[in-house]
Amino acid sequence: MSSASRGLGFGPREAGDLLTLIEKTTPMNTDDWELISREHETVLHWPGRTAESLRRKFHSMHRRRKGTRRGVPVTPIEVRARMIKRAINEKRDGVRPGGSRAGEDESDEGGGDDSGGAAVVDGDYE
């Protein structure tokens, strides 16, 4: 490896930039990861990463064990990655913010009670 190359690791700034792209795109398929890869290289100017390497890095960030592992605390980047992964899973599964599924009719659940929408308005969307 030449001295001009940056090495194989992701620094905190690149990892944060990657999470911002993933959060904006909410990747559901290979084409979405290719888009993230192109933007990662051209817009953010982080060259040399493939769609697959970016996908693997994201998965390694959100899969890290909770708490401490061998004395190493979970970082804010990993916490953010988990929140983004949860949003991706909810989109994939058709879950709306507040926990209801996209195909569910709220009027069928409460026996005609119209207050079902209030929980969504008052919900916490961190």
Side-chain angles (χ1 to χ4, degrees):
M1 182 179 345
S2 73
S3 61
S5 66
R6 78 168 175 262
L8 299 176
F10 282 69
R13 184 167 162 231
E14 184 179 8
D17 288 348
L18 173 61
L19 290 177
T20 299
L21 278 176
I22 293 169
E23 193 170 32
K24 181 179 91 172
T25 307
T26 316
M28 303 301 285
N29 56 43
T30 306
D31 292 338
D32 293 340
W33 283 105
E34 290 293 334
L35 174 66
I36 289 170
S37 176
R38 282 191 303 275
E39 286 194 33
H40 187 261
E41 185 168 350
T42 58
V43 176
L44 298 176
H45 308 291
W46 292 105
R49 306 289 191 191
T50 65
E52 182 60 23
S53 71
L54 296 174
R55 187 188 67 79
R56 278 194 317 263
K57 179 60 179 177
F58 173 64
H59 287 300
S60 75
M61 287 190 286
H62 78 75
R63 286 183 178 154
R64 176 117 183 255
R65 296 177 85 131
K66 292 183 180 177
T68 61
R69 182 171 156 197
R70 298 182 193 155
V72 179
V74 175
T75 66
I77 292 273
E78 292 160 340
V79 171
R80 184 175 171 211
R82 286 192 190 118
M83 292 172 62
I84 294 167
K85 178 60 176 171
R86 190 175 312 121
I88 291 170
N89 288 345
E90 288 175 354
K91 180 179 176 182
R92 179 198 65 214
D93 296 341
V95 177
R96 294 181 187 152
S100 66
R101 294 202 174 269
E104 292 178 353
D105 184 7
E106 292 179 9
S107 63
D108 291 342
E109 292 178 2
D113 184 13
D114 236 3
S115 63
V120 174
V121 172
D122 295 334
D124 187 15
Y125 297 110
E126 292 184 5

